[in-house]
Amino acid sequence: MSGEPVDEHAADATAGRDAFPVLREAEFDEFVDAVGAARHRGGPLTVSGAPGAGKTTLVESVARRFAADGGRVLRAVSSQSETDLPFSGLHQLLRPVRGRIDALPPRQRRALYTAFGLAEHSEAPEPMLIGIAVLTLLSDVAVDQPLLLVVDDAHWTDHASLDALSFVARRLADEPVTVVIVTRDGALPRLGSRGPAIHLGPLVPEAAERLLDLQPQAPTGRTRARILEDAEGNALALAELARAAAEHPRTSYRRTTHPRTPYDTDGPLPVTDRLERIYAARLAALPPTTRRALVQLATADTKDPSRTVLSWLPDIGDAVWAPAEEAGLVSRTGGRLRCGNPLSRIAMYHAAPVEERRAAHLELAELFRGQDPDRYAWHLAAATSGLSTHVAAELENVANRARHRSGYAAAAHMLERAADFHPGRGDTTRLLAAATGTAVLTGRLDSVERLAARTRASTDDPTAAVLAALQVGRLMTLTTSHNTAFGQLTRPAAALANTHPAAVLEALAAAAVVRFYSADPAQAHEIERLLSAVSAAPSHRTGDREPFLTDWVRVVTRPESTEPQVALRLPALITAASEHPGTLMLLAIAAWLLDETDLAVRAFDAALTSWTVQGPLPDGLGGIAALAYLEHGRWTRAQTACAELSAVASEVGLDHAAACAGATDGLLRALRGDAAGARAQARHALSLVDPVESRSVFALAHRALGTAAATEGDNETAYLHYRQLFDGPGDPVHYHLSYPALPELTSAAARGGHHEEAARIVDRAERSLEGAGPLSPRRAALVHLSRALLAPPNRAESHFTQALEAPVLARRPFEHAQTLLAYGEWLRRRRRIVEARTALAEAEGIFRRLGARPGTARAHTELRAAGSQSNTPEPDAFADLTPQQQQIVRLAARGLTNREVAERMYLSPRTVSSHLYRAFPKLGITVRSQLRDVIEARTADSGLA
């Protein structure tokens, strides 16, 4: 089996534990340095290499040094049979410290016990809560001594464990904890890209020569030359080929057309194929009783068999193991029985007759019956050659348990296996469809596409086919393939418009999400055409969900054309949906698009508070929550929403979701005055998308870049970026996200000599909005403010007045302060000093409470120019804190402990403590009780949180 992984203990045993680091001296030193660096930078340290390269031996050498220096090492070695057992790798890793779980906060304790299958809970634990539980546990353990976590053969580790470890590793910068992932080449590209990585290539010739010299019978002459040539620098191959040559000196390297032994070569072979031939030949030479015992051990597929498995195998002291131990196929040390390495286990397993393997699996299944239902089902399936309703049912039960523990990848795979075993075509389709829907929650588009294709191929039911396509389209909406996603959703919807309206509306709801991201007018026309077809269909029935989805699709597709009564129904609908967080999310999105930001934030708060987590993915337009919080003046909450979306999206490689988070965060940073951070975030977001397919990210990112330039006084660059939000004639690039930048564009234009062009854009914006229906109060206010910035002095005030009289702006603190500042500046230039001071002071206060430093500085400068003395602000120490520190201070001021704050913010308690330690001197306080005074003094007159 070329390319299968190897645990390199064989090289370690033969070469000597202290010699191998010398053979890999450069890599050893690099690894030691990287272990320390990984702790400070965050992210797992990945060690990769070909099978037999010496990965395990190198890591164990470093782990021994780490332990000798006073650290503690926790290890997990993954196996193929546990890949579909969610959190099995994490459970193995944390088993030595499992007793510390009871000291965790209650929610974290329940989540971790449920994930490990050690407790039952009515709801699946939130994946991020499981991650924070592991982070807190490791932080607690690391108080006693530094920790090194080693996950070997990680390409076989279950996805749930890897996701949790990746979550933890990114948050370990303040912890004496390092995570090391050992994997074969290219097996974990996303995980490996988040931290330092070490790749083990072939041994250099000098090291290969030395390794041969360290063998019990060092080869010489032509045999030595052939071993060096064939091993290609692979450490395990060098050791095993040398051993084979010593055992069969006359046949090991004789070329024959039909080799009688696997040691003969018939031309070049891949290293792992050659090694497997060696192991298979050793197995064939053993007594039958030993061979049978080895097949049993190989079937068990575990490095350290449990007591249950050991009771089934011959006793560890039985003479049956001696021939296998002499052949290097097993080891018996310290009362433990092990295969020599995974490649020898694989060779033994595949060399055995199929029926013998199935018999071993059946015996293991009976062994686990009643004790471990997941392993029972796994071995029962491996023992079954034909269709079986019973096996399918057991695998479906495994999937249900996995889903209940948030192990979605394992659940999807088990549902697919259940479909393979079920004799009924209808049930096969049902199971495949369930697998497809579950796979969506893993974020792995390739798996969803494959399962959807299998679902469609298994059935003639058009509804099942369209729902399978819908699952692919749902996930595609979070990628950058929006045109493909739109077609994936609308083609089957068009085919079913006359017969299955409910399925079509679900597809169109997802298609509307794509329309928002892309802002493609052609997509809007197609959605409207299909909505009309559904409404006119003879089979159209009005259920509870269909009218709601119809309205929602129309709001997302063309919010400016939505009938007024839709907005009027929102408050009652939000109240009625209080127990349904998924519906609340949809209502919140609709409210935001209709400029009902207060309602949107209320619904987002309720949804996110009561959300029963369906999986680790952002859903549809859920990222809009950050924009709603931004508009509502809750900038810290907006930044948290961006961080959560970014973490989840990057976890599963959903570039578009990550770009949305990055662009929104860039805008927040720019408004706060972090121009460099804003540019970095915006440019990264733009690098992830095609601007033609994602005008939403394009608009947000260029608004962030324009705002960053404006904060530095570069009005020409600011205008050029804001101008990108409108096409050549002046129409908006994005039908909803372009308009809020109108005042910013006109402000930069007025300062940079683009007055006439900006005026044309404002004119065109007003005409296009009026053409769609009555101008929304918010957009009318934005147009008035834009006109005021461009109008002659004798006409500006009426526009300022109309903008300020709009209640809708008063509910958006930044836009309100933006208008007050512009009006105050205009008043001061007209020598209306008293009025100017009033407007400027109010604007300055709002900007300060928001943490909008550029606005604060500009308002303060204008106040001084207006002769204001009493309103001169003292330095705002709170604003000097990082956004993350600000949120920690707010939560701590409410009386939350470090552990409670850590759980809220997905950080470790030590990280929270570190941030507070750095914040106290900046705030001029010395004890925690003073935090409340800081926050109350800052927000007493604002109500902002």
Side-chain angles (χ1 to χ4, degrees), residues 283 291 295 299 348-360:
L283 183 66
R291 286 203 306 273
V295 171
T299 305
M348 290 186 294
Y349 181 83
H350 288 286
V354 172
E355 291 306 317
E356 189 173 337
R357 297 200 305 262
R358 286 181 177 151

Side-chain angles (χ1 to χ4, degrees), residues 233-301:
N234 184 281
L236 182 60
L238 286 163
E240 293 293 353
L241 293 174
R243 176 173 181 155
E247 292 173 349
H248 303 271
R250 295 186 178 180
T251 61
S252 295
Y253 283 94
R254 184 184 69 236
R255 290 187 182 273
T256 62
T257 305
H258 302 288
R260 296 171 59 86
T261 79
Y263 310 112
D264 300 325
T265 62
D266 185 16
L269 287 171
V271 170
T272 46
D273 281 356
R274 186 178 294 111
L275 290 174
E276 280 203 22
R277 290 191 179 192
I278 292 173
Y279 294 134
R282 289 181 191 165
L283 183 66
L286 296 174
T289 54
T290 300
R291 286 203 306 273
R292 184 177 184 280
L294 285 174
V295 171
Q296 287 180 287
L297 179 60
T299 305
D301 184 30

Side-chain angles (χ1 to χ4, degrees), residues 880-902:
D880 288 334
L881 301 180
T882 67
Q884 188 176 63
Q885 287 173 342
Q886 289 179 12
Q887 189 173 8
I888 289 172
V889 166
R890 291 178 192 276
L891 293 172
R894 289 163 52 186
L896 275 68
T897 66
N898 285 2
R899 293 164 81 84
E900 290 169 334
V901 173

Side-chain angles (χ1 to χ4, degrees), residues 15 140 185 219 232 242 253 257 283 322 365 402 411 459 482 573 640 655 694 717 763 780 869:
D140 290 348
D185 286 343
E232 300 172 346
Y253 283 94
T257 305
L283 183 66
T459 181
H482 289 138
L573 290 172
T640 302
D655 284 348
S694 183
T717 299
D763 289 342
Q869 299 297 325

Side-chain angles (χ1 to χ4, degrees), residues 530-880:
L530 290 171
L531 276 178
S532 298
V534 169
S535 300
S539 60
H540 183 71
R541 295 186 302 274
T542 302
D544 291 338
R545 186 168 173 80
E546 288 178 38
F548 170 75
L549 277 184
T550 300
D551 284 343
W552 192 83
V553 169
R554 286 178 174 146
V555 168
V556 176
T557 304
R558 290 193 192 276
E560 71 280 3
S561 300
T562 303
E563 296 177 354
Q565 55 265 37
V566 174
L568 294 175
R569 288 198 297 267
L570 284 175
L573 290 172
I574 289 171
T575 300
S578 59
E579 301 300 321
H580 304 282
T583 302
L584 278 172
M585 290 289 283
L586 295 179
L587 290 167
I589 291 162
W592 178 78
L593 285 164
L594 295 175
D595 290 328
E596 300 288 343
T597 307
D598 285 352
L599 272 178
V601 166
R602 193 180 98 198
F604 276 127
D605 281 343
L608 296 173
T609 298
S610 63
W611 186 262
T612 301
V613 173
Q614 303 296 313
L617 290 182
D619 185 31
L621 292 173
I624 281 176
L627 288 170
Y629 287 125
L630 187 158
E631 290 179 4
H632 202 246
R634 294 170 60 182
W635 286 9
T636 301
R637 183 66 187 90
Q639 188 200 31
T640 302
C642 289
E644 291 170 353
L645 176 60
S646 178
V648 171
S650 60
E651 192 77 38
V652 289
L654 296 175
D655 284 348
H656 191 267
C660 289
T664 306
D665 187 57
L667 178 56
L668 266 168
R669 289 173 184 265
L671 293 173
R672 281 177 157 150
D674 178 9
R679 279 192 288 268
Q681 287 286 69
R683 288 169 181 165
H684 176 64
L686 289 171
S687 73
L688 295 176
V689 301
D690 177 348
V692 175
E693 289 203 42
S694 183
R695 295 175 180 90
S696 57
V697 170
F698 180 84
L700 282 170
H702 277 286
R703 186 181 174 196
L705 291 168
T707 305
T711 64
E712 297 175 326
D714 186 353
N715 292 302
E716 180 64 24
T717 299
Y719 179 77
L720 292 175
H721 282 298
Y722 291 135
R723 185 65 179 83
Q724 295 289 310
L725 275 67
F726 299 86
D727 64 15
D731 290 322
V733 166
H734 191 280
Y735 62 97
H736 192 77
L737 295 174
S738 290
Y739 291 116
L742 263 180
E744 293 152 1
L745 177 143
T746 52
S747 177
R751 288 172 167 79
H754 299 280
H755 190 285
E756 291 184 6
E757 185 178 38
R760 286 197 301 272
I761 293 173
V762 175
D763 289 342
R764 195 173 184 94
E766 186 171 21
R767 286 197 301 271
S768 65
L769 289 169
E770 287 175 344
L775 202 59
S776 79
R778 182 200 180 189
R779 293 188 186 180
L782 293 174
V783 167
H784 280 302
L785 174 56
S786 301
R787 288 205 178 282
L789 293 168
L790 297 173
N794 62 336
R795 296 177 55 190
E797 187 164 17
S798 64
H799 290 296
F800 277 127
T801 303
Q802 290 181 76
L804 287 169
E805 287 176 350
V808 68
L809 281 199
R811 296 193 294 271
R812 290 171 174 77
F814 180 79
E815 292 177 2
H816 187 52
Q818 188 181 36
T819 308
L820 285 167
L821 175 59
Y823 186 42
E825 290 174 329
W826 183 87
L827 288 168
R828 187 186 66 77
R829 289 195 297 271
R830 307 279 80 75
R831 300 288 192 268
R832 293 161 62 176
I833 300 302
V834 175
E835 295 170 274
R837 287 176 182 172
T838 302
L840 292 170
E842 186 178 353
E844 190 269 348
I846 296 172
F847 283 136
R848 287 195 62 200
R849 290 192 293 271
L850 290 172
R853 295 185 187 182
T856 304
R858 188 169 144 196
H860 182 52
T861 299
E862 288 289 328
L863 277 168
R864 291 183 63 185
S868 175
Q869 299 297 325
S870 60
N871 289 326
T872 301
E874 297 180 1
D876 189 350
F878 186 85
D880 288 334

Side-chain angles (χ1 to χ4, degrees), residues 919-931:
F920 275 30
K922 295 179 182 179
L923 296 173
I925 62 175
T926 56
V927 294
R928 195 183 188 98
S929 59
Q930 293 174 296
L931 289 173

